[in-house]
């Protein structure tokens, strides 16, 4: 056994004669190069468990992550329903969905007096959106694939009809008629106005 192994065995609290590869089954928490018996690890774990309560990571695990991780999982499921993971832009907003879940699952909020609310019905968010309104989403974000296909087909059919010669002639006729009507209407209004002032 080398001097390094003797030193590590001494740190772990075992006799250098007892230190063998077969007797050790767990990586030593003190030294990452050698192995020590499980009793050394158990003692180390007991020490760290007592100190764990004062660590910020323990606070996060107990108070924050127990609410946040299920909310994130539910948000991922909802995002996959909206196909937000495959489409770059869509109507689904993950931050809004997480905020809605956390608001509705807040342990300090009374479930008896207030039922689960949609994101836009939550009082705090409603007030914030009143002061800072969001821009409207483009139609491509709001429509499903089927609705978008229907709108595109409707537009193409209308363009094909408007392109026909008879329809072009009729449209030109009505443009002229509307311009004549507007000029005659303005002329009549000006005559009436002139007569009223006399």
């Amino acid at each position: 056994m080398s001097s390094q192994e003797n030193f590590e065995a001494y740190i772990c609290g075992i006799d250098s004669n007892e230190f063998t590869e077969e007797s050790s089954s767990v990586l030593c928490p003190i030294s990452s190069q050698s192995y020590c018996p499980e009793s050394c690890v158990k003692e180390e774990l007991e020490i760290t468990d007592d100190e764990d309560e004062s660590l910020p990571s323990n606070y996060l695990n107990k108070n924050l992550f127990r609410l946040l991780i299920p909310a994130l999982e539910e948000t991922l499921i909802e995002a996959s329903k909206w196909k937000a993971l495959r489409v770059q832009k869509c109507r689904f907003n993950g931050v809004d969905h997480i905020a809605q879940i956390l608001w509705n699952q807040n342990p300090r909020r009374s479930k008896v007096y207030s039922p689960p609310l949609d994101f836009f019905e939550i009082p705090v968010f409603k007030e914030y959106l009143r002061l800072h309104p969001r821009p409207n989403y483009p139609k491509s974000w709001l429509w499903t694939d089927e609705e978008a296909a229907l709108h595109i087909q409707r537009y193409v059919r209308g363009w094909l009809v408007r392109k026909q010669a008879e329809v072009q002639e009729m449209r030109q006729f009505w443009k002229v008629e509307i311009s004549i009507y507007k000029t005659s209407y303005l002329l009549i209004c000006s005559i009436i106005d002139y007569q009223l002032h006399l």
Side-chain angles (χ1 to χ4, degrees), residues 74 96-97 99-106 109-123 125-126:
E74 191 174 329
D96 289 352
H97 195 264
Q100 175 183 336
I101 292 170
L102 292 177
W103 176 269
N104 289 326
Q105 293 180 355
N106 186 355
R109 200 172 134 266
S110 172
K111 307 284 189 277
V112 175
Y113 296 112
S114 55
L117 298 174
D118 186 39
F119 175 78
F120 296 103
E121 297 171 357
I122 298 173
F125 302 134
K126 190 185 286 187

Side-chain angles (χ1 to χ4, degrees), residues 96 119-135:
D96 289 352
F119 175 78
F120 296 103
E121 297 171 357
I122 298 173
V124 177
F125 302 134
K126 190 185 286 187
E127 178 66 23
Y128 179 80
L129 290 173
R130 188 181 64 76
L131 296 175
H132 309 283
R134 293 182 180 178

Side-chain angles (χ1 to χ4, degrees), residues 58-184:
N58 195 27
Y59 172 80
L60 292 174
N61 287 335
K62 282 186 176 179
N63 298 325
L64 184 67
F65 291 147
R66 69 182 179 86
L67 295 173
L68 188 59
I69 290 176
L72 290 173
E73 290 172 353
E74 191 174 329
T75 302
L76 282 174
I77 292 168
E78 191 69 23
S80 65
K81 287 179 187 174
W82 282 88
K83 300 178 185 175
L85 303 175
R86 287 192 285 145
V87 180
Q88 182 181 4
K89 297 176 181 177
C90 82
R91 177 173 145 181
F92 178 74
N93 189 338
V95 176
D96 289 352
H97 195 264
I98 290 173
Q100 175 183 336
I101 292 170
L102 292 177
W103 176 269
N104 289 326
Q105 293 180 355
N106 186 355
R108 294 182 181 173
R109 200 172 134 266
S110 172
K111 307 284 189 277
V112 175
Y113 296 112
S114 55
L117 298 174
D118 186 39
F119 175 78
F120 296 103
E121 297 171 357
I122 298 173
V124 177
F125 302 134
K126 190 185 286 187
E127 178 66 23
Y128 179 80
L129 290 173
R130 188 181 64 76
L131 296 175
H132 309 283
R134 293 182 180 178
N136 292 332
Y137 286 140
K139 299 287 188 200
S140 61
W141 292 18
L142 301 176
W143 292 334
T144 63
D145 293 342
E146 294 80 20
E147 289 173 324
L150 287 175
H151 284 278
I152 291 169
Q153 289 170 0
R154 188 180 305 145
Y155 177 79
V156 170
R157 276 193 232 109
W159 179 77
L160 289 173
V161 169
R162 287 189 300 272
K163 193 174 99 169
Q164 296 173 359
E166 308 89 44
V167 176
Q168 287 289 332
E169 183 181 340
M170 182 65 77
R171 292 181 74 194
Q172 188 64 32
F173 169 78
W174 282 110
K175 280 182 185 176
V176 171
E177 283 294 317
I178 289 172
S179 66
I180 292 172
Y181 173 75
K182 283 183 180 177
T183 54
S184 63

